Amino acid sequence: MSLLDILLVAIRVAFAAFVPLCFIAVCVWMERRGAGFFQDRAGPNRANIFGFRAAGLVQNLADGAKLFFKEDVISDHIQHKFYFVIAPLIVFFTAVVSFAVVPFADTLVLNGKSYIMQGIPIDIGILWFLALAGFGVYGIILAGWSSTNKYGLLGSLRSTAQVISYEIPMGLAIVSLLVVYGTVNLNGMAQFQGQLLFGFIPMWGIILQPVGFLIFVIAAFAETNRTPFDLAEGESEIVAGFHVEYSAMKFAIFFMGEYIAMFASSAIIVTLYFGGYQIPFLSTDTLITYAKPVAFLLMLGLPAGMYFFAGWIRKNNVSHYPRKNDPRVYEGNIYIKGFWGLVILLELILFAILLCKSGGAAAHIFVVLLQICTFLMKVTMMIFVYIWVRWTLPRFRYDQLQKIGWQVLLPAALLNIFITSAFVVALS
Amino acid sequence: MSAKVKTLERKGSSLAEKIYFVEIFKGMATTFGHFWRNLLDNSNLYVRHYPEVEPEIPVRWRGRHRLTSHEDGTVKCVACFMCQTNCPAECISIEAGERLDDKAEKMPVKFNIDLLECIYCGYCVEACPLDAIRMDTGIYSVTDNNRESFVLGLEELLQTPGAFSEEEYKKGGA
Amino acid sequence: MAEMIKLFVNGNEVEVEAGKNLIDAIGAVGIEIPHLCYHPALGADGNCRMCLVGLEEGGPPLVPACKTPAAEGMKVLLDADHIKKIQHDVLEFQLINHPVDCPVCDQAGECSLQDYYMTYDGQKSRMTVPQVTKSKKMDFGCGVVHDQERCVLCGRCVRFCRQITRTGELGIVNRTDTARVAIFPGRPLDNRYAVNVVDLCPVGAMTSADFRFKQRVWFMKKERGVCHGCSRGCNITIDHNREKDQDDLIYRFRPLFNEQVNGYFICDEGRLSYRDENENRLTEARLSKTTISLDRAVTASLKEFKRAEGIVILISPDCSLEQMVSIKSLAEELGAPLSGFSDGYIKKGDGDDYLIQDDKAANRAGLTALNIDSSQSAFEEALAKAGLLINFNNDLSLFYDESSLKKLFKEKRVIGVTSRDTKLFQMANLVIPVASFTEYSGSIINCDNILQTFNRAITKNDAPLDMSEVAALLGGPLKTNGDRYDKLKKIVVSLNDFNPDTIPATGLKLT
């Protein structure tokens, strides 16, 4: 193994491990500010460090610090303290690991050697995800049971029944997808989606499998315990459900686990249905060939985008009440300067690519970076959809939840498999 | 004063509504409209920038309590215990004593309101036959570091002035 | 059972006792006729006119119910319009000069005038001329405070002083709106039953200086009790309340009607004896001045028993029969002589011919019934031989002065089982707190050999044990109330036919 090999392994493992963690902050921030804007509020925007609020991101630091220093209570009535402590870790760990099989860029070819761009280089892909998503619920069940609390137990029972019900349509939706893609390898799926249908439509999963997509998304919402399927928490009837007895960092780990699960399942949805890291109309080969024009276009586009972004900051980063020497204007100006600096740095990098040999290693790395950005952008959008749905739809009633799972999604998924299979057989 | 009644059409019977998805997307479009508008321009949010911008307290607002006094400064309260009897939170505790200033026979020697127990329902004000207790101080923020300081005594209750003039208070419907 | 007659009220047939007036007869079946001046103990006066009722046939159309004996076939009208108008008009007259200061009046909540106004009147005052003002807060002596403005001149207090105490301090002077209840100049109320006028007064004109402004009556819970002030055992209502963050305190004793024992009244000393229940109570066990837990106190007592060269047990004549029998069995178990010596409880010449007794011990008859020796010589002899005295709440200081007590206790160990923290028990080596008579259930026999039972009325925040439970802890064989009662039945033959719950509330005359 050369040094490059080790470096690339380190990079991809680090990416698979730390990007979800970093996205916790992004998710929480999006959730809270987004909820504010959905409801015509501001959301948390006061916490600051020397007056810098980073659009509310500092609030996450404050919350984290608070949870970290809070007293970690384990009530005396909890008999199985080991299970009680291990439960949030299960939820957290399975969520992190389930992301490990998702490819965040196409295979990188350097010096004639291929490097796979996913945390764990295995081919079982989607099966890994299904297994771990199912396993994550053990944490919730264990938490509810070991809490020795009726609300906790009710919450975990709901969660169990819900996951069992929704894993079936989810699995069936994937089956029809597998029929289409002909592989379980997620990278293979992403590569498949780089093709064009009839020569002008990206061959994304959502185009080929619209019904399957809806079923999968609904099931994924249920699997991650997000509204409208967050009956396991059900504040109004069972207080907080499975994590009612948890406090401080143990609660925080549950909380983070939930957001990582959301990130991982967004990543899976993107990979299965939105072309993964693929940029529409620009397959990996095309990109490598036309790396320089793309870089040039980006060089033009970045300052233009930044210009509008600066205008937006200037307009919105102000105090909306009479205030002398508004510090937020000053704050906003510093942000703008910082972002312009970033843009200049990127311009320099892009310029360097323009100077390099076309089709060489630099072009390959540039394409990988581009695809990573595309992938993360798509995932962020999917996370936004999660948040968007949460602040739009009310929670289902429990019988409605089961009814949708068994009486609507299951038959629809089965029907989808038959129709898809018929099509695939007819076309081949 | 009669409440405005708006009769809403009952939904959920047509096929499109039963399928859910159409309605869900409609709802999501609505919420996204709000999100997008506020993202582009956050100056129209329905928020008060407390504590920099303080709320305007209307006359009928039930703030922290106070005990009123006669013009010569003596307490109006005659310790009839009507407020204590009515209090659903049992936050008032009074001790009555002999009164010697000819205003009445009886007066409170102790009058404690535990603000941690008070639910600000205003029943004490309603019950008072002598307009001796009011919630017109306009104080809406009651904070401190220890529990003891939330128990208001007779002196404190008497010394807090009302936030409104007598005419305004009477006009407020009290 | 008295003879029953049938009569009609508002056209409905009711069966009532014969030989009573209409108020009592009809009131006994639950139909109330409003009245202010009539009181069953004082007889009819007929001055308030509130009780006017109509008779449909025979006799005058309107009669005062208090002066009309119930008769067979009588047709009494209560809800006719003209009767209602009379009640309304009488109340309007009563209220012309009434100050309506219910918020500061102690009677509010148990005031007849207030209740009748709400039931029968409910109108606003039509008076346009200023009200007649009269004296307020007059000290009538004996802890009675009079407010002339609130007075409805029913004369109950005046009649009480004339008929019951026969002291006649009160009278109604002047006429019409200058009429008022007054004392003779320089001669305040001076009798030992004076505060009963406060209970008798249907309105707030008579208030008790002791209870004044202490509590509003609707806050207080009311329990039945038996006064332990003397061997009469008057029935009382215990008015108590647990205020926020405080202990369950008694605010007053009021007489409770019991024809056999005390009638409608109690004496003033008995009425004020509630203070002893609140104040100066022993709350924690003490071993030579240091506070210890009850468990440790019991262990220490058992150690004392072993060490002592002869034990003598002294029992209070205030104890209930159950406690006495428990302690008696404890004494038998320990082989110790038991004495009920309590000559100090007898105050010669203090009693009168009405309620107050010479003997201030509540249950001396119980001592006799249980064959507990209470002679001075036996007690002193036994004590001289013994090294340890267990004193179950017997107040020896009533008989011995301090120096003779010291002499008596010289070189003796003393264990006090008591509810009060008095000087006598501060001399004891070990004290164990027990419940006082409002805090336990029991039965006592009064001076007329009437057995009365009473239930626990007060539950203190940290409720001390009943004395019989302490006796059981110290090794007494009777552990439950059932055991105690069985043993009691064996000793007192006349109790054989009765269970504790079959003893009537009004008391059982023992033969």
Side-chain angles (χ1 to χ4, degrees):
Chain A
M1 252 169 119
S2 69
L3 196 65
L4 185 70
D5 294 355
I6 297 168
L7 184 72
L8 275 166
V9 168
I11 285 176
R12 68 165 200 247
V13 169
F15 187 92
F18 290 118
V19 165
L21 296 184
C22 296
F23 258 78
I24 296 169
V26 178
C27 290
V28 175
W29 172 71
M30 274 171 67
E31 178 103 88
R32 300 188 67 183
R33 296 299 319 256
F37 284 155
F38 277 121
Q39 299 172 344
D40 288 349
R41 296 184 287 110
N45 65 349
R46 293 302 181 95
N48 65 69
I49 298 170
F50 303 121
F52 291 100
R53 305 167 301 143
L57 271 168
V58 178
Q59 181 73 39
N60 290 346
L61 281 181
D63 287 344
K66 185 201 93 175
L67 285 169
F68 192 76
F69 287 110
K70 262 182 93 162
E71 187 190 353
D72 200 353
V73 181
I74 300 181
S75 309
D76 279 345
H77 71 268
I78 291 164
Q79 288 142 10
H80 303 282
K81 294 203 165 53
F82 175 73
Y83 296 128
F84 184 74
V85 173
I86 204 125
L89 295 177
I90 291 176
V91 172
F92 185 80
F93 183 74
T94 53
V96 173
V97 172
S98 65
F99 174 69
V101 289
V102 179
F104 39 84
D106 205 348
T107 314
L108 176 61
V109 183
L110 280 181
N111 305 333
K113 255 177 121 176
S114 307
Y115 299 95
I116 233 169
M117 280 290 143
Q118 61 190 52
I120 303 172
I122 44 171
D123 290 338
I124 53 172
I126 187 67
L127 300 178
W128 170 275
F129 174 79
L130 276 181
L132 282 164
F135 193 62
V137 80
Y138 278 83
I140 289 175
I141 296 167
L142 211 51
W145 168 75
S146 67
S147 292
T148 328
N149 179 312
K150 57 185 172 191
Y151 296 126
L153 196 62
L154 280 174
S156 63
L157 281 177
R158 285 180 176 198
S159 174
T160 320
Q162 180 180 319
V163 168
I164 288 172
S165 311
Y166 279 76
E167 246 174 18
I168 296 165
M170 188 187 228
L172 293 178
I174 289 172
V175 166
S176 58
L177 206 62
L178 296 183
V179 170
V180 173
Y181 292 156
T183 173
V184 290
N185 188 336
L186 289 171
N187 196 26
M189 291 185 186
Q191 279 165 349
F192 183 91
Q193 292 175 83
Q195 300 167 319
L196 291 178
L197 190 66
F198 309 128
F200 65 98
I201 306 170
M203 214 189 257
W204 284 5
I206 188 173
I207 310 284
L208 301 174
Q209 281 286 320
V211 178
F213 166 71
L214 280 177
I215 293 167
F216 187 86
V217 165
I218 292 170
F221 273 77
E223 204 89 334
T224 47
N225 278 320
R226 291 281 304 185
T227 338
F229 302 107
D230 61 344
L231 290 111
E233 290 176 38
E235 294 87 353
S236 50
E237 62 262 37
I238 52 171
V239 195
F242 61 91
H243 62 63
V244 69
E245 292 285 343
Y246 284 85
S247 58
M249 228 28 220
K250 285 204 295 294
F251 167 76
I253 287 173
F254 263 128
F255 188 72
M256 294 193 294
E258 189 192 323
Y259 280 101
I260 293 175
M262 189 168 111
F263 173 76
S265 99
S266 295
I268 284 290
I269 291 171
V270 164
T271 309
L272 293 185
Y273 292 100
F274 289 103
Y277 47 75
Q278 300 282 7
I279 304 171
F281 309 112
L282 295 172
S283 68
T284 315
D285 294 336
T286 328
L287 271 176
I288 291 169
T289 321
Y290 298 103
K292 281 186 181 177
V294 170
F296 183 68
L297 278 177
L298 273 177
M299 278 182 81
L300 293 181
L302 267 176
M306 186 55 217
Y307 173 77
F308 289 109
F309 187 50
W312 179 80
I313 289 179
R314 230 174 257 121
K315 184 177 171 196
N316 287 310
N317 206 59
V318 291
S319 302
H320 294 292
Y321 50 91
R323 203 169 177 192
K324 235 186 233 168
N325 297 331
D326 191 350
R328 290 191 188 174
V329 174
Y330 168 75
E331 185 194 353
N333 283 334
I334 291 196
Y335 293 153
I336 291 167
K337 277 174 195 145
F339 278 117
W340 271 122
L342 195 66
V343 166
I344 289 166
L345 194 69
L346 290 174
E347 292 281 311
L348 287 176
I349 292 169
L350 289 171
F351 187 68
I353 288 165
L354 280 185
L355 293 181
C356 285
K357 189 162 68 86
S358 63
H364 280 280
I365 292 172
F366 170 65
V367 170
V368 163
L369 288 176
L370 215 55
Q371 282 178 337
I372 288 176
C373 287
T374 316
F375 175 73
L376 290 183
M377 221 134 76
K378 282 180 181 174
V379 171
T380 310
M381 275 169 162
M382 197 56 219
I383 291 171
F384 177 77
V385 171
Y386 266 95
I387 291 164
W388 183 9
V389 167
R390 174 167 176 185
W391 298 106
T392 305
L393 297 183
R395 185 178 295 147
F396 278 109
R397 219 169 48 216
Y398 200 72
D399 61 320
Q400 291 172 332
L401 173 107
Q402 293 293 1
K403 206 173 152 186
I404 291 169
W406 292 102
Q407 294 186 0
V408 180
L409 294 185
L410 183 60
L414 286 172
L415 202 65
N416 192 34
I417 290 177
F418 289 129
I419 294 171
T420 311
S421 314
F423 257 96
V424 170
V425 169
L427 288 178
S428 55
Chain B
M1 220 168 66
S2 65
K4 275 183 194 158
V5 177
K6 188 178 169 191
T7 311
L8 292 171
E9 187 195 343
R10 186 164 283 275
K11 296 204 172 184
S13 50
S14 73
L15 183 70
E17 284 159 354
K18 274 184 178 161
I19 288 174
Y20 290 140
F21 280 114
V22 182
E23 294 298 312
I24 284 174
F25 288 130
K26 271 193 203 163
M28 287 176 71
T30 308
T31 47
F32 189 77
H34 282 259
F35 174 81
W36 191 245
R37 201 182 60 226
N38 294 322
L39 185 70
L40 292 185
D41 179 9
N42 66 6
S43 60
N44 296 321
L45 298 171
Y46 296 114
V47 283
R48 174 182 294 123
H49 296 273
Y50 185 81
E52 288 90 357
V53 181
E54 297 205 344
E56 213 175 277
I57 301 299
V59 185
R60 294 180 67 170
W61 170 271
R62 296 193 292 268
R64 216 202 70 191
H65 324 66
R66 72 180 179 112
L67 287 178
T68 56
S69 47
H70 292 289
E71 268 146 34
D72 58 358
T74 50
V75 59
K76 265 192 191 171
C77 175
V78 294
C80 68
F81 287 72
M82 290 301 143
C83 46
Q84 187 182 334
T85 309
N86 263 290
C87 183
E90 294 181 11
C91 70
I92 306 178
S93 53
I94 306 172
E95 214 169 90
E98 203 75 46
R99 186 167 191 158
L100 304 166
D101 62 1
D102 281 351
K103 288 265 171 16
E105 276 183 77
K106 204 175 169 188
M107 66 184 284
V109 290
K110 240 177 68 190
F111 195 110
N112 287 344
I113 298 183
D114 191 336
L115 293 178
L116 292 177
E117 294 182 346
C118 178
I119 55 169
Y120 295 88
C121 64
Y123 281 7
C124 49
V125 181
E126 297 287 323
C128 186
L130 289 166
D131 194 16
I133 186 166
R134 287 187 185 178
M135 294 176 86
D136 67 343
T137 53
I139 298 173
Y140 52 84
S141 166
V142 184
T143 51
D144 216 309
N145 291 326
N146 53 46
R147 284 168 180 278
E148 292 72 33
S149 53
F150 285 94
V151 182
L152 296 183
L154 189 59
E155 283 301 299
E156 227 170 324
L157 287 166
L158 273 171
Q159 276 158 9
T160 319
F164 310 99
S165 71
E166 204 66 18
E167 294 79 52
E168 278 176 319
Y169 185 74
K170 292 270 150 59
K171 223 168 98 189
Chain C
M1 205 64 198
E3 192 197 336
M4 302 302 278
I5 53 170
K6 280 179 181 166
L7 47 75
F8 298 88
V9 180
N10 299 333
N12 303 321
E13 194 181 67
V14 292
E15 203 177 40
V16 300
E17 261 181 68
K20 284 184 166 179
N21 66 19
L22 281 177
I23 292 182
D24 284 345
I26 298 178
V29 296
I31 301 167
E32 197 202 13
I33 299 174
H35 58 279
L36 290 168
C37 70
Y38 171 72
H39 188 277
L42 306 172
D45 201 40
N47 69 46
C48 73
R49 314 315 283 173
M50 260 318 275
C51 66
L52 285 179
V53 294
L55 291 184
E56 272 185 79
E57 292 160 14
L62 275 182
V63 291
C66 63
K67 291 237 180 211
T68 311
E72 182 78 39
M74 222 175 205
K75 286 186 174 160
V76 184
L77 256 189
L78 282 178
D79 61 351
D81 284 345
H82 68 284
I83 304 295
K84 284 185 180 164
K85 183 165 178 355
I86 287 165
Q87 289 166 342
H88 168 123
D89 288 352
V90 168
L91 273 176
E92 193 169 18
F93 267 127
Q94 295 285 17
L95 288 164
I96 281 178
N97 285 323
H98 191 89
V100 204
D101 53 353
C102 305
V104 296
C105 176
D106 273 342
Q107 190 82 5
E110 52 183 16
C111 171
S112 303
L113 195 61
Q114 200 181 30
D115 294 346
Y116 292 158
Y117 173 80
M118 300 310 284
T119 321
Y120 302 107
D121 188 0
Q123 306 281 319
K124 283 217 161 127
S125 173
R126 290 188 287 161
M127 287 294 290
T128 49
V129 294
Q131 285 184 323
V132 177
T133 54
K134 302 175 190 173
S135 301
K136 294 177 90 75
K137 210 158 81 179
M138 304 169 75
D139 185 8
F140 269 12
C142 287
V144 175
V145 179
H146 182 57
D147 186 314
Q148 290 184 333
E149 284 185 352
R150 295 180 191 151
C151 180
V152 292
L153 295 166
C154 65
R156 281 190 193 180
C157 49
V158 177
R159 280 179 283 149
F160 176 77
C161 290
R162 288 182 185 161
Q163 294 171 19
I164 308 288
T165 65
R166 304 216 175 81
T167 45
E169 296 99 332
L170 297 175
I172 295 178
V173 298
N174 292 338
R175 299 183 54 172
T176 65
D177 62 0
T178 55
R180 52 205 64 181
V181 170
I183 47 172
F184 296 98
R187 289 181 57 192
L189 278 172
D190 181 25
N191 62 67
R192 297 172 73 184
Y193 299 93
V195 188
N196 282 308
V197 299
V198 175
D199 301 320
L200 280 173
C201 185
V203 293
M206 296 285 188
T207 49
S208 155
D210 179 65
F211 178 66
R212 198 170 154 86
F213 303 158
K214 289 275 168 15
Q215 280 280 306
R216 299 315 306 254
V217 295
W218 54 83
F219 288 135
M220 295 188 296
K221 287 154 207 79
K222 297 158 177 61
E223 313 280 350
R224 179 185 170 268
V226 173
C227 177
H228 278 42
C230 73
S231 56
R232 173 68 65 183
C234 297
N235 286 205
I236 48 172
T237 305
I238 300 167
D239 286 349
H240 66 105
N241 182 24
R242 188 195 300 273
E243 284 204 336
K244 202 172 94 181
D245 307 330
Q246 278 181 34
D247 210 344
D248 199 354
L249 292 181
I250 303 173
Y251 287 91
R252 60 177 179 182
F253 282 166
R254 284 182 301 145
L256 184 69
F257 175 62
N258 186 339
E259 207 171 1
Q260 272 197 96
V261 182
N262 59 315
Y264 287 92
F265 306 110
I266 57 172
C267 68
D268 290 358
E269 286 105 295
R271 189 186 288 270
L272 294 182
S273 65
Y274 79 89
R275 290 173 180 167
D276 292 336
E277 301 299 299
N278 296 341
E279 293 159 16
N280 211 16
R281 292 291 303 275
L282 183 72
T283 48
E284 278 162 321
R286 275 200 311 259
L287 178 61
S288 44
K289 311 263 186 261
T290 46
T291 304
I292 53 170
S293 70
L294 184 69
D295 293 346
R296 282 194 54 205
V298 170
T299 343
S301 315
L302 295 178
K303 240 182 240 164
E304 294 272 358
F305 290 176
K306 268 186 205 147
R307 212 165 34 193
E309 310 155 1
I311 308 170
V312 61
I313 296 178
L314 184 63
I315 187 171
S316 160
D318 281 338
C319 293
S320 70
L321 287 174
E322 287 85 348
Q323 292 168 347
M324 282 180 179
V325 81
S326 302
I327 294 161
K328 191 179 159 81
S329 334
L330 172 69
E332 283 162 6
E333 188 85 6
L334 293 174
L338 174 66
S339 169
F341 169 62
S342 50
D343 287 357
Y345 281 72
I346 299 170
K347 269 199 212 165
K348 276 263 155 11
D350 189 61
D352 59 18
D353 56 352
Y354 185 43
L355 295 176
I356 302 171
Q357 296 290 308
D358 280 350
D359 186 0
K360 302 299 173 197
N363 196 15
R364 188 178 301 280
L367 281 181
T368 325
L370 290 171
N371 306 319
I372 296 170
D373 180 78
S374 53
S375 67
Q376 184 184 359
S377 53
F379 168 64
E380 284 182 351
E381 246 169 60
L383 188 62
K385 275 186 246 162
L388 173 66
L389 168 71
I390 311 171
N391 183 355
F392 282 94
N393 214 5
N394 190 323
D395 194 356
L396 281 175
S397 63
L398 289 172
F399 189 81
Y400 299 103
D401 60 21
E402 212 173 315
S403 56
S404 39
L405 271 178
K406 270 196 184 130
K407 219 163 73 193
L408 209 59
F409 291 161
K410 212 168 81 184
E411 291 169 15
K412 302 256 186 295
R413 303 285 290 172
V414 179
I415 297 174
V417 181
T418 178
S419 58
R420 313 227 182 286
D421 197 7
T422 58
K423 237 184 186 150
L424 169 74
F425 290 104
Q426 278 158 9
M427 289 162 74
N429 304 88
L430 172 69
V431 281
I432 297 172
V434 286
S436 187
F437 72 92
T438 50
E439 294 149 27
Y440 59 76
S441 308
S443 44
I444 55 172
I445 305 172
N446 85 342
C447 57
D448 297 330
N449 229 16
I450 295 169
L451 176 81
Q452 301 193 82
T453 58
F454 52 93
N455 286 323
R456 163 190 271 228
I458 309 294
T459 309
K460 292 275 185 200
N461 283 349
D462 28 43
L465 288 180
D466 187 347
M467 207 184 286
S468 37
E469 284 165 354
V470 172
L473 283 179
L474 295 180
L478 304 182
K479 302 291 184 198
T480 66
N481 263 333
D483 295 348
R484 285 165 205 142
Y485 206 81
D486 290 343
K487 174 103 187 215
L488 203 58
K489 273 184 174 176
K490 270 179 208 147
I491 304 173
V492 188
V493 186
S494 50
L495 272 179
N496 266 343
D497 298 338
F498 290 94
N499 282 323
D501 40 339
T502 55
I503 295 171
T506 50
L508 174 70
K509 178 87 179 161
L510 296 180
T511 46

